Amino acid sequence: MAGPGAGELAMEDERSFSDICGGRLALHRRYYSPYCLEFCLSCPRISLRSLTAVTCTVWLAAYGLFTLCENSMILSAAIFITLLGLLGYLHFVKIDHETLLIIDSLGIQMTSSYASGKESTTFIEMGKVKDVIINEAIYMQKVIYYLCILLKDPVEPHGISQVVPIFQSAKPRLDCLIEVYRSCQEILAHQKATSASP
Amino acid sequence: MVLKAFFPTCCTSADSGLLVGRWVPEQSSAVVLAVVHFPFIPVQVKELLAQVQQASQVSVAVLGTWCHRRQETEESLGHFLEGLGALFSHEPWLQLCRERGSKSWSCKATRRQGPAPLAPVCEDQVMLVFYDQRKVLLSRLHPPAALPERQAGDATASAGGLAAVFDTVARSEVLFQSDRFDEGPVRLTHWQSEGVEASILVELAKRAAGPICLLLACLLSLISAASACRVFRPWPLSFIWSKLSTCEQLRHRLDQLTLVVSAPRAGGPTQLMRKANTLVSVLLDMALGLLLLSWLHRKDRFAQLAEALVPMADRVAEELQHLLQWLMGAPAGLKMNRALDQVLGRFFLYHIHLWISYIHLMSPFIEHILWHLGLSACLGLTVALSILSDIISLLTFHIYCFYVYGARLYCLKIHGLSSLWRLFRGKKWNVLRQRVDSCSYDLDQLFIGTLLFTILIFLLPTTALYYLVFTLLRLLVVTVQGLVHLLVDLINSLPLYSLGLRLCRPYRLAAGVKFQVLEHEAGRPLRLLMQINPLPFSHVVHIYRLPSCGCHPKHSWGSLCRKLFFGELIYPWRQRGDKQD
């Protein structure tokens, strides 16, 4: 992919991939400058079908209890629980998109945006980053690949203190991971080259 | 490395001038602290910087020039600014420029490659990072990075990465003390240049804090001296004081208050937060206690409580009597040893009879006692809850006694059985070597041993049943007391001030930073906005928890079961400093 030409805006690129369960993911890449890159992975939206199914189950169960107990509090409680459950799910569980921002000589930032608009951000300074790798893991009955950041150990120069996985809830497949991995490695290599020379 | 210029957001609309700040060579970043405006005398600027450097131990220097152009044609200003590079030499020399009314910035960082003034210059790539100066000044990073010593000077910034930026801004407070209404020689723009922030209430509180703390410290030392005096030394009283959880709670509160009023300025920010948390916790405690007191007084609840107490105690005693009658019969269809059953049952029934008489003796005084104890609720809700826990222990004292009798009996039995079982197999416990050794017994020893073993093992079900029943009752009481203690612990150790700070001023407690890329045009430098990432609530509670009484269960579930099986007495809510029984 060519770099930005004179007078052009930051390069943007959108491709679609699939995650490990087969859902559709959209990878949106923004290329701000040779040393600043942003990847945005959008997860599949909450489906109306599953929402309707859960609501119907809860309300049928509540109605069944009501016919047993003849207490109308159960029905209002069921409505309350459904609403609270939906709000809680949207605010704490359902992730809309995950973003990875790499800035050379500053660090790597990961943002998860929830369906309710809440954003949770983690920033790792470049001084602590040892490497970005694709690792294998056994997840239930599958073997999956995931991208992770290795952090340096302050005590031991060749040791690793922590492994931070990226795109944990989107869980893209290997082809998407390779795209992100290549770009990260370019920037990390550039960063190592320039930091080695004062 | 790309050069990072940290630029305060308050200076983005300032007039042209000089950039003043600190250069961190290890991260190749320039932290701009303020902008010095024209007209200025270079000597005075250098004097000001020297003063700031001495006061704050931060190596503040002129980093470059800032140009905020009105229209395109201000070439003279541009040349003038370039000439300043010769006056205030700094490697690298930063030149930031912005066109008024537009969002396009241009940055240049030049570095001379040799010592001679005509050596070739090379340009570095620059990245602009905007930061809110006020928030960065007031915030505190968690975990706090190791800051360099104040005495050692600012030679090496051992704080890595972004902690260095926070550190620089926090320590340069003296630079921000002058605002534009001061008649100083040099005109600066920074976050306080529109007027120094202050609050009348805060200033008054600071003035009043000294004498008030002194007064309270004297009062508290008087109280602690009074409580440590000789009157409370003799053995029965000191034993009772150590058992009551109310005394423990009062002592804890006294310690906390002493800490709060001690030396208001001493200690770092951690100590300050701890004091603030303690103060807020104590105030809330007292407020809740007063609320409880007013609720109790409203409908003459004391009389109601006193009237309900004696019948409740009677009912408990009655239920226990029924239980013992049931045990003396054929409980759950099991066949007990008649004689032992009757003995134990009658023994415990007599105790209950004594207990009921004692309660009836006390009943006229209960209301007065309750009223006076209720007054102590104004010392705090925790004290009231501790009193409740103590009342529960006093009222269920008979259950505790029964549990101890049952446990001791059972324990003796188990020890006897294990020792005689060893005898059965021809072994013996060697106390010296702490192990089981073989031993040859005489015939009559074996005979008596076997006899006793048989007796004990046939009496085991009866004793075990009594032990089981009373242990369950005791565990029930302990659970209720434990819940009360948990509530007291919660009120004691919750850091309310820190939680409130996290809610209302989230930038004060920072877990890190986050960056946002601002509008970007090709050919222009990259612009980022650095914001503070606040600490999650769970981390706030974890880091700023106040130390509690220390009444936590010290046994794991496994050791608890083991103790129950062998009949050892369990004291799950051991107070601090008590010896094991």
Side-chain angles (χ1 to χ4, degrees):
Chain A
M1 233 191 69
E8 281 179 30
L9 291 173
M11 293 292 286
E12 284 187 36
D13 177 49
E14 182 157 350
R15 292 173 60 173
S16 97
F17 293 94
S18 64
D19 67 8
I20 55 173
C21 305
R24 245 194 90 233
L25 295 172
L27 179 70
H28 189 103
R29 166 159 59 177
R30 295 192 68 158
Y31 183 89
Y32 291 109
S33 83
Y35 48 85
C36 180
L37 206 54
E38 187 180 44
F39 287 99
C40 183
L41 202 58
S42 319
C43 306
R45 302 292 177 110
I46 180 170
S47 75
L48 201 59
R49 200 182 298 174
S50 59
L51 183 65
T52 323
V54 169
T55 314
C56 286
T57 321
V58 171
W59 284 0
L60 276 173
Y63 196 69
L65 270 176
F66 170 68
T67 47
L68 277 174
C69 304
E70 303 291 335
N71 190 358
S72 63
M73 279 290 286
I74 295 179
L75 293 178
S76 17
I79 295 178
F80 207 54
I81 289 173
T82 317
L83 273 174
L84 278 181
L86 183 66
L87 284 174
Y89 177 70
L90 289 178
H91 193 72
F92 293 111
V93 176
K94 180 83 188 77
I95 292 186
D96 225 5
H97 53 262
E98 289 184 294
T99 313
L100 181 73
L101 175 70
I102 313 172
I103 309 167
D104 187 14
S105 80
L106 251 189
I108 304 182
Q109 174 172 292
M110 293 161 295
T111 312
S112 307
S113 317
Y114 291 84
S116 64
K118 172 174 108 164
E119 285 192 1
S120 111
T121 318
T122 320
F123 178 76
I124 303 175
E125 291 181 41
M126 207 43 114
K128 292 200 195 132
V129 172
K130 186 158 193 274
D131 205 358
V132 172
I133 60 168
I134 297 184
N135 203 4
E136 284 178 317
I138 297 179
Y139 180 71
M140 307 280 218
Q141 79 285 11
K142 301 191 250 243
V143 174
I144 60 165
Y145 296 96
Y146 66 98
L147 194 66
C148 57
I149 306 177
L150 299 176
L151 299 184
K152 285 185 191 155
D153 196 0
V155 173
E156 204 191 325
H158 294 292
I160 295 168
S161 73
Q162 216 185 337
V163 172
V164 180
I166 317 177
F167 299 139
Q168 261 192 304
S169 58
K171 299 197 192 67
R173 285 200 179 158
L174 192 58
D175 44 5
C176 178
L177 291 179
I178 289 179
E179 282 288 328
V180 182
Y181 174 78
R182 279 207 190 109
S183 314
C184 291
Q185 284 296 327
E186 268 172 34
I187 294 192
L188 282 180
H190 178 255
Q191 195 261 332
K192 283 197 173 71
T194 49
S195 72
S197 58
Chain B
M1 241 199 271
V2 176
L3 197 148
K4 301 175 278 273
F6 289 89
F7 198 75
T9 47
C10 49
C11 296
T12 50
S13 48
D15 289 331
S16 314
L18 284 178
L19 294 169
V20 158
R22 179 183 167 209
W23 166 249
V24 185
E26 297 87 24
Q27 282 107 43
S28 175
S29 45
V31 184
V32 175
L33 293 169
V35 175
V36 174
H37 295 298
F38 309 116
F40 59 82
I41 303 175
V43 172
Q44 285 179 338
V45 171
K46 287 187 182 165
E47 260 178 34
L48 173 73
L49 292 180
Q51 272 175 11
V52 169
Q53 194 158 339
Q54 199 183 27
S56 65
Q57 310 288 335
V58 175
S59 61
V60 192
V62 176
L63 295 174
T65 56
W66 161 244
C67 175
H68 195 187
R69 282 190 270 202
R70 273 179 199 78
Q71 57 260 24
E72 291 286 340
T73 57
E74 278 207 23
E75 292 299 327
S76 56
L77 190 61
H79 285 307
F80 175 57
L81 289 175
E82 280 175 25
L84 283 172
L87 269 176
F88 303 99
S89 60
H90 188 266
E91 292 299 323
W93 185 250
L94 208 58
Q95 288 167 300
L96 298 178
C97 185
R98 182 190 173 191
E99 283 160 23
R100 203 176 277 271
S102 81
K103 289 209 179 126
S104 55
W105 290 63
S106 74
C107 313
K108 214 163 56 160
T110 51
R111 209 189 275 267
R112 290 196 188 280
Q113 283 185 331
L118 294 173
V121 295
C122 76
E123 263 191 44
D124 287 339
Q125 269 190 320
V126 182
M127 181 160 60
L128 271 175
V129 181
F130 296 110
Y131 70 98
D132 188 330
Q133 211 165 40
R134 176 170 176 266
K135 291 192 177 167
V136 169
L137 182 76
L138 291 173
S139 87
R140 202 172 154 238
L141 275 179
H142 299 85
L147 299 172
E149 296 286 314
R150 275 183 185 257
Q151 296 87 356
D154 191 13
T156 52
S158 57
L162 293 157
V165 177
F166 280 77
D167 183 40
T168 308
V169 178
R171 289 203 286 167
S172 317
E173 242 186 289
V174 66
L175 185 65
F176 307 133
Q177 291 302 333
S178 62
D179 55 20
R180 68 186 169 99
F181 303 105
D182 284 345
E183 302 293 330
V186 180
R187 207 164 53 96
L188 292 168
T189 299
H190 46 75
W191 71 280
Q192 271 191 335
S193 57
E194 295 298 319
V196 175
E197 271 192 6
S199 154
I200 295 182
L201 289 173
V202 170
E203 294 298 317
L204 280 175
K206 279 190 198 164
R207 296 294 154 101
I212 290 182
C213 285
L214 218 59
L215 189 67
L216 281 174
C218 292
L219 209 64
L220 287 172
S221 57
L222 268 175
I223 296 178
S224 32
S227 68
C229 80
R230 293 280 192 78
V231 175
F232 302 122
R233 276 299 152 82
W235 181 80
L237 280 177
S238 69
F239 179 72
I240 294 176
W241 295 146
S242 68
K243 287 293 178 197
L244 288 177
S245 60
T246 316
C247 298
E248 192 62 39
Q249 176 63 21
L250 283 171
R251 204 178 310 156
H252 182 70
R253 277 290 183 229
L254 201 68
D255 286 339
Q256 279 185 331
L257 282 173
T258 322
L259 178 71
V260 168
V261 300
S262 71
R265 285 280 155 259
T270 322
Q271 196 74 320
L272 215 62
M273 285 290 264
R274 184 173 284 198
K275 283 189 194 175
N277 280 326
T278 315
L279 191 65
V280 173
S281 159
V282 167
L283 287 175
L284 182 76
D285 197 15
M286 288 195 187
L288 286 173
L290 286 171
L291 216 69
L292 180 70
L293 202 61
S294 73
W295 179 78
L296 280 176
H297 269 284
R298 198 170 302 164
K299 291 190 192 160
D300 199 20
R301 290 236 163 82
F302 278 117
Q304 285 179 2
L305 265 175
E307 275 170 30
L309 208 63
V310 174
M312 198 161 59
D314 268 347
R315 239 199 100 216
V316 168
E318 245 183 73
E319 293 294 325
L320 269 178
Q321 279 177 330
H322 284 298
L323 184 71
L324 283 168
Q325 298 286 359
W326 179 69
L327 281 176
M328 289 202 318
L334 296 167
K335 192 166 187 307
M336 300 276 105
N337 180 294
R338 197 103 194 114
L340 184 62
D341 216 0
Q342 295 286 325
V343 161
L344 287 176
R346 294 231 174 98
F347 178 62
F348 291 134
L349 276 172
Y350 180 61
H351 268 86
I352 294 180
H353 172 78
L354 277 178
W355 184 252
I356 293 194
S357 337
Y358 166 68
I359 293 274
H360 281 257
L361 208 68
M362 289 276 294
S363 59
F365 306 112
I366 295 234
E367 193 187 331
H368 289 283
I369 294 178
L370 272 184
W371 192 85
H372 285 102
L373 286 179
L375 275 185
S376 68
C378 66
L379 285 174
L381 185 67
T382 46
V383 177
L385 285 173
S386 314
I387 290 182
L388 179 71
S389 158
D390 285 335
I391 290 179
I392 292 177
S393 348
L394 280 176
L395 285 182
T396 55
F397 189 63
H398 48 332
I399 296 182
Y400 173 66
C401 285
F402 293 169
Y403 163 71
V404 172
Y405 297 151
R408 284 280 185 236
L409 217 56
Y410 179 77
C411 183
L412 273 172
K413 181 156 282 199
I414 291 285
H415 279 243
L417 274 175
S418 56
S419 153
L420 291 171
W421 171 244
R422 281 190 282 257
L423 177 136
F424 231 37
R425 291 156 41 217
K427 296 203 189 290
K428 194 176 88 149
W429 174 253
N430 190 339
V431 186
L432 203 61
R433 297 244 178 152
Q434 295 287 313
R435 66 170 188 204
V436 178
D437 275 341
S438 62
C439 170
S440 62
Y441 291 99
D442 295 338
L443 197 62
D444 41 356
Q445 280 176 329
L446 280 175
F447 178 65
I448 297 203
T450 313
L451 206 64
L452 286 172
F453 180 76
T454 324
I455 294 174
L456 283 178
I457 207 160
F458 285 138
L459 291 178
L460 185 64
T462 316
T463 328
L465 193 70
Y466 274 89
Y467 172 64
L468 185 71
V469 167
F470 292 130
T471 309
L472 285 175
L473 280 174
R474 170 82 183 137
L475 284 178
L476 187 68
V477 171
V478 161
T479 313
V480 171
Q481 272 194 303
L483 286 172
V484 173
H485 278 256
L486 222 70
L487 193 59
V488 169
D489 238 0
L490 188 72
I491 300 180
N492 267 344
S493 67
L494 202 64
L496 286 164
Y497 177 72
S498 307
L499 285 174
L501 204 63
R502 167 66 182 85
L503 203 64
C504 305
R505 304 257 186 276
Y507 56 84
R508 291 282 296 265
L509 303 167
V513 294
K514 52 188 179 192
F515 290 92
Q516 190 191 335
V517 183
L518 299 173
E519 258 182 46
H520 179 68
E521 292 166 32
R524 298 287 185 181
L526 185 67
R527 294 182 307 145
L528 300 164
L529 177 66
M530 181 171 90
Q531 289 165 312
I532 301 207
N533 203 9
L535 208 53
F537 284 101
S538 51
H539 285 231
V540 173
V541 172
H542 183 71
I543 292 176
Y544 289 108
R545 262 189 99 97
L546 295 168
S548 60
C549 261
C551 316
H552 283 286
K554 292 186 178 37
H555 311 299
S556 64
W557 288 109
S559 71
L560 190 71
C561 290
R562 202 181 142 273
K563 285 200 172 194
L564 283 177
F565 184 71
F566 283 112
E568 290 167 27
L569 291 172
I570 46 171
Y571 295 102
W573 309 106
R574 257 301 165 197
Q575 309 289 3
R576 199 173 30 174
D578 269 355
K579 293 192 282 288
Q580 289 289 330
D581 201 344

